[in-house]
Amino acid sequence: MNFLEGEIIYINKPLKKTSFDVCGKVRWLLCHQLGIKKLKVGHTGTLDPLATGVVVVCTGKKTKLIDELQQHTKEYIAMLQLGATTPSFDLEKPIDQTFPTEHITRSLVNEVLTRFRGEIWQVPPVFSAVKIDGKRAYEYARKGEEVEIKPKLLVIDELEVLHFDESAMQLEIRVVCSKGTYIRALARDIGEALGSGAHLIALCRTRVGNVRLEDCMTLEQFEAALPLMHISMNDANNNE
């Protein structure tokens, strides 16, 4: 393998680590293994810290493919808690409101989900990296400042119920969607459409394009495998 010239690595991101953290760890491991001081490393789509799953990492000249790879369809498995919301639409922030759920049935869930298949307009979360006047939305949100975030046109190719626990009011769904889809925002919108509220309590990205979760290594597995790899060493200037 030639990480200086460019390779694509599939990592299963752990809980509570950012995609940036993953790239930083991969960069450190490779620089240490190769005996170099710097290396271009980037990822093809951010995962929230409280999400796990597929992160596609590019090194060297393969970082030029990032924009192209970001366009790939993504698949997620998400667990929603119905009847309550949080400001971040996930477990990053505590519950701020609760809502009735007695009226929610499996048939209502099935009917509501049909509204979210195909092209939909979605307003990204305030706690997100969406840029507004040159700043990230979360920078405003963390200061308690209100900003207007414009809706985006997205495509939900597939949306299905995997499990619905009526006693706990927890809904597990599989989502296949286009670039830029916020599953946290989808949870919010599904909750509202159910005449209640909802937030994410678990999220795993199971596929990016043709790359599936089973194709990925954990960071620990990547670190253990590095010394066993046949790594080509060439002029580090190839990475400039």
Side-chain angles (χ1 to χ4, degrees):
M1 302 187 77
N2 193 324
F3 293 102
L4 289 168
E5 187 64 21
E7 296 288 350
I8 299 178
I9 307 162
Y10 308 138
I11 298 293
N12 181 356
K13 188 188 85 64
L15 190 67
K16 296 186 179 179
K17 294 292 185 181
T18 67
S19 301
F20 183 79
D21 291 335
V22 169
C23 287
K25 181 67 173 180
V26 168
R27 183 186 297 108
W28 185 88
L29 289 170
L30 288 173
C31 286
H32 180 74
Q33 181 73 23
L34 297 170
I36 59 178
K37 292 185 177 180
K38 63 179 181 178
L39 176 67
K40 289 181 181 177
V41 177
H43 63 79
T44 67
T46 301
L47 264 183
D48 291 334
L50 295 182
T52 62
V54 181
V55 173
V56 178
V57 178
C58 300
T59 77
K61 293 181 180 179
K62 290 291 178 72
T63 56
K64 295 177 181 179
L65 299 176
I66 286 176
D67 287 344
E68 175 187 339
L69 296 174
Q70 282 179 336
Q71 306 303 319
H72 288 179
T73 297
K74 299 173 178 65
E75 179 186 71
Y76 299 87
I77 302 296
M79 182 69 78
L80 283 61
Q81 178 64 60
L82 306 181
T85 59
T86 74
S88 58
F89 311 148
D90 64 7
L91 294 175
E92 181 182 345
K93 298 293 181 181
I95 291 172
D96 58 356
Q97 292 187 76
T98 58
F99 301 85
T101 57
E102 294 82 4
H103 63 288
I104 300 177
T105 62
R106 176 64 183 260
S107 61
L108 177 61
V109 168
N110 290 340
E111 188 277 320
V112 161
L113 291 191
T114 62
R115 308 177 199 173
F116 293 93
R117 297 188 184 107
E119 289 189 345
I120 65 168
W121 287 94
Q122 183 185 83
V123 178
V126 290
F127 286 90
S128 69
V130 172
K131 280 195 173 182
I132 303 170
D133 297 330
K135 293 174 63 177
R136 302 292 186 182
Y138 62 75
E139 296 180 57
Y140 295 101
R142 286 171 182 166
K143 293 179 181 178
E145 299 176 14
E146 292 189 7
V147 290
E148 181 182 355
I149 303 180
K150 295 181 179 179
K152 298 166 60 178
L153 183 62
L154 308 168
V155 178
I156 305 292
D157 295 301
E158 299 178 46
L159 178 58
E160 65 170 332
V161 176
L162 297 180
H163 181 68
F164 179 44
D165 184 338
E166 292 194 45
S167 60
M169 276 293 143
Q170 292 181 350
L171 173 64
E172 186 178 38
I173 58 175
R174 184 181 72 90
V175 186
V176 178
C177 56
S178 63
K179 170 194 172 184
T181 304
Y182 283 90
I183 307 301
R184 287 182 289 136
L186 181 63
R188 169 203 63 198
D189 296 341
I190 289 173
E192 291 178 358
L194 287 168
S196 184
H199 64 280
L200 278 185
I201 57 174
L203 179 65
C204 180
R205 185 155 68 194
T206 51
R207 181 169 62 85
V208 175
N210 293 323
V211 180
R212 297 187 174 276
L213 191 59
E214 52 266 32
D215 302 321
C216 298
M217 293 182 284
T218 65
L219 286 170
E220 292 78 14
Q221 288 170 333
F222 179 66
E223 182 174 6
L226 256 183
L228 307 177
M229 293 180 184
H230 177 71
I231 300 176
S232 299
M233 288 296 295
N234 59 358
D235 188 347
N237 290 329
N238 284 343
N239 189 51
E240 298 297 328

